[in-house]
Amino acid sequence: MPWYPLQRQVRVEGPVEEVPAAESDAYWATRPRGSQLGAWASHQSRRIDSRESLEAQYDEVEARFEGAEVPRPEFWGGSRIRPERIEFWQGRAHRVHDRIVYERSGDDAGAGDWERHRLRP
């Protein structure tokens, strides 16, 4: 994820997996009601005609669940990345940037088994 005004970036690489439904349910229960309703209304990252359309969908969902708990939608859940490589990039003058990489050592390394390297810009 780049932060261009700060000249910083963090990149995480590794396999991604869906979290179990029970874990998604537990996290859903901690979300504010408005966020739960927004999830039902938004279908995140899908195209929508207008802001007014999104607000109308939110109003419909709010009316549908009035006075009731908001259940977790089937399309809503979590993902987890298992980091194998993490790179921190810091922009510097004259393109002589800092790049620090942490890589897991071994196939099933524990949390403390990381190697640190500096890369050329």
Side-chain angles (χ1 to χ4, degrees), residues 30-44:
T30 70
R31 303 291 298 147
R33 181 178 180 83
S35 296
Q36 292 174 340
L37 295 170
W40 272 98
S42 73
H43 290 265
Q44 188 173 357

Side-chain angles (χ1 to χ4, degrees), residues 3-17:
W3 293 284
Y4 295 119
L6 300 176
Q7 292 194 34
R8 294 187 177 169
Q9 179 171 314
V10 177
R11 189 168 137 180
V12 180
E13 298 176 14
V16 177
E17 61 190 25

